[in-house]
Amino acid sequence: MQWGAQTQTDAAGDDLTARFESRHIGPTRNDALSMLESLGLHSLDQLSDRAMPAQIRMTDSLQLPPARSEQATTARLSELAALNNPRRAMIGMGYYGTVTPSVIRRHVVENAGWYTAYTPYQPEISQGRLEALLNFQTMVADLTGLPLAGASLLDEATAVAEAAALAHRAQRGKGDTLVVDAGLLPQSLAVVQTRMGALDIKIVETDDLATSPALDEAFAVIVQTPTTDGRMQSTGELTELADAAHAKGVMVIAAADLLALTMAVPPGQWGADVVVGTTQRFGVPLYYGGPHAGYISVRKGLERQLPGRLVGVSRDADGVVAYRLALQTREQHIRRERATSNICTAQVLLAVVAAMYAVYHGPSGLRRIAHDIHQRTRLLAGALSAGGVKARHESFFDTLTVAAPGKAADVVARARELGVHLRLVDANTVGISVGEDATDEDLNHVVAAFGINPDTQADPWGGFGATLRTDSYLGHRVFNSYHSETQLMRYLRTLEDRDFALDRGMIPLGSCTMKLNPATAMEPISYPGFANLHPFAPAEDARGYRILIDELSDWLVQVSGYAACSLQPNSGASGEFTGLLAIRAYHESRADHDRKVCLIPSSAHGTNAASAAMAGLKVVTVHSAHDGQVDLADLATKIAENPGRIAAIMVTYPSTHGVFEDTITRLCEMVHEAGGQVYIDGANMNALVGLARPGRFGGDVTHLNLHKTFAIPHGGGGPGVGPIVVADHLVEFLPNHPVVPMPDARIGAGGTVSAAPWGSAGVLAISYAYIAMMGPDGLTKATQMALLNANYIADRLSDYYPVLYTGANDLVAHECILDLRELSASTGVSVDDVAKRLIDYGFHAPTMSFPVPGTLMVEPTESEDLGELDRFCDAMIAIRAEMDKVASGAWPVDDNPLVNAPHPVSRIGADEWSHPYPRSVAAFPAGHHTGPIEGEGSDKYWPAVARIDNAFGDRHLLCVAPTDELLAQQQ
């Protein structure tokens, strides 16, 4: 029977039930027509035709499945999750069973106030997550015994590689040999080999680190503690290694289990210079390999060599303690190819989870969890020993490697039948790792899998091996105050209220694509079938993930116009590095060994240059022409100056200048004619989906930012996913994995760039759901609406701020650059002043001074409705009027609402007010909404602090949670 369900429409005639796109795209149909009319256009297709070069436009439609409803998508993802069988994960190898406290999962992981925030470049509106990250750094520093820790890295394997690169920088002239522990996790070794191989660094693997002859030529040595097979070295052995290495001028890097360090003397006390690892077992689900927050800590003197983000303590204009990103001159967006790393997105959301796990449990709770795991492992070892199965090592923390001559596969299979995943080391050996979540029943099943009666009584066997630590740690009050759920819930809410995220208003950051992260797409990451699966589980227990990965990969290939996709890179910068490695390997396979030059336009993201340097390529900059396009004459010159040496060009399209360059196809031809490859940076793919395919207009490889274009949230600075899509001739050079080989037979012995086979697999369901719900037509419309929203803003503001670059027909792409340089020169009001003043109006600032100093780059995305676009434009127009008042002398240059912005409530509520403008102008420049919200208006967002003094914080570097004593020392 046809039931004839009635379609629901809104006042503008938009279908609200059949198409998710109506929920995702902000402007209604009538709003879009009005916006088009203001631009002198009559349709979205006309806008696309006039803005984009005809030679790159698609002539066909995206060949994707029709859009699914939200309900159908939820059902499909539930079906896929059910095809995964996590069982009890006891495989180990860097991934361990943990228990995520519900209060943290509910109030952080599943909370838009945390997951929709951006990297805290604007610290005044980021004090909540900056405090959470400072907690993370304090936790890592305390547990590792070193004074300085970073704000997270991508995973443990990349953390080990970053540490090796750090040591190589710090030990310049010491040699190009790296000594590596034979007990290093295999995925860490593979990533280190990939990263160091690109720099021609020799790796020597040995199980006798302290006496290895290679130390004589080494710049660093890496030790894993405990080792992959579970051996916990004695503190004396590790001290002996550190002494031997330091005697030869060699740095010591320890890859350490952070939970074990709640019991063992920390590496900083036995001589390690750098300590790295993962915080996954601090309450972060397995997620089939990621996302997880790696960690790094360093001894004093290495702070300026540290890769990635670093949160530091400073003060605001009123002397109030405040937090901000420290020592940013190390980073890629400033130093480009001379940066300490290419890191842009790290793993902030997961670092917050790990930090709050430590806050919730406190030092005694963490020590108890570690002690219980170790004791249960000893009991398991005793039960196995009583049945004649001996562990390889007597000293261990949580992992046993046991002999099962000729029967290892049978043991692992029996354990699987009983609901436990064990590690098949080889035909004669089984690995067992006990996690926080292992139950008595699980341990009995492990014993039974070896054919031993689990009811047999046995004494504990084996010991810890390392000297127990006696010093105190995590003594700061934050780790000793929030141990009830009520306390932690309120602490998390307080921190959340200090931040400005997408749940509060538009974040118009250019080149960042802060679009809606749909709730329907976010829900599946908490499904047990997706959250609890170990990355090295048997393929038959990961069928749901494998189907999701295959389908998503196929969709990304279709959208981009390439031949194959790798989901292993777990950030956009990682994708850049991976794509360049594929290009370099391609040239090497053709004996083109001299192709080491990477051409990069001056307008490119800093990550491009940093990634090229990491890949062992020489960066040669190509200038921009007066209209913002790549200067093809200069490109021709640079090609001519490097005959036979061009490896690639990295070009962002549309460009970071916010325009569709009509010379892009000629640029690709020129590089191909010179024998090079074309890397098209997919940072701005939100302007192309459904309209143009990089793989069809000249690209050989592109990385896609799933955390931009395809709706994975930014998480305050991570997680991100940066898959690469490549042309057919580069497929064989895609990443592989030492533990789980890629199922695509076309992929050869490619390098490894992430710890897990599919990187941050746990968040792939978000992009899968987004594409499924939007469908081919919805994705195309989203792109067109992103173009319309940007052009609407550019048109409305052009009479007040010059739009620096436009393309064909005076149109921009999905973002526009507002030029404040002449205004700043005539008024004394800087781009920073405008950015901070926007906070008072209730906005996150656009991207400041990139790619051109003294400008604001605005990207509204398709998700913002007309009301929000107009609110932003009204704010910018009002700020221009304020600048004019400064220029006219009505307000002093050194005392006006812009230079004093932002205005926290502590200033507005102060008894004294000496400024030449009233409090109402300071706090409520756009008016004060009172009464119910009822469809319009919003409550005031109050920044927690006044403008922060960044220079003070860098001069008085403090990167752990401040005690009263430390604050006194800083002052």
Side-chain angles (χ1 to χ4, degrees), residues 524-581:
I525 68 171
S526 293
Y527 293 173
F530 288 136
N532 298 336
L533 188 66
H534 194 286
F536 305 150
E540 57 266 32
D541 285 330
R543 287 192 299 138
Y545 259 120
R546 295 295 182 92
I547 293 171
L548 185 152
I549 287 166
D550 287 346
E551 291 186 0
L552 177 59
S553 296
D554 289 344
W555 296 347
L556 296 177
V557 164
Q558 169 61 211
V559 164
S560 62
Y562 286 99
C565 173
S566 170
L567 292 164
Q568 191 175 116
N570 50 8
S571 77
S574 177
E576 292 176 13
F577 174 68
T578 306
L580 291 173
L581 285 184

Side-chain angles (χ1 to χ4, degrees), residues 741-814:
M742 294 295 101
D744 189 338
R746 296 175 296 172
I747 298 175
T752 305
V753 296
S754 299
W758 289 280
S760 294
V763 292
L764 295 180
I766 300 169
S767 293
Y768 181 97
Y770 172 73
I771 296 173
M773 292 187 296
M774 293 295 284
D777 296 336
L779 290 171
T780 304
K781 184 178 178 182
T783 302
Q784 293 178 313
M785 289 304 302
L787 302 181
L788 177 59
N789 282 357
N791 278 280
Y792 177 78
I793 286 178
D795 182 65
R796 269 210 68 187
L797 295 182
S798 61
D799 289 339
Y800 305 91
Y801 305 91
V803 177
L804 186 56
Y805 297 117
T806 57
N809 301 300
D810 291 326
L811 294 170
V812 299
H814 65 310

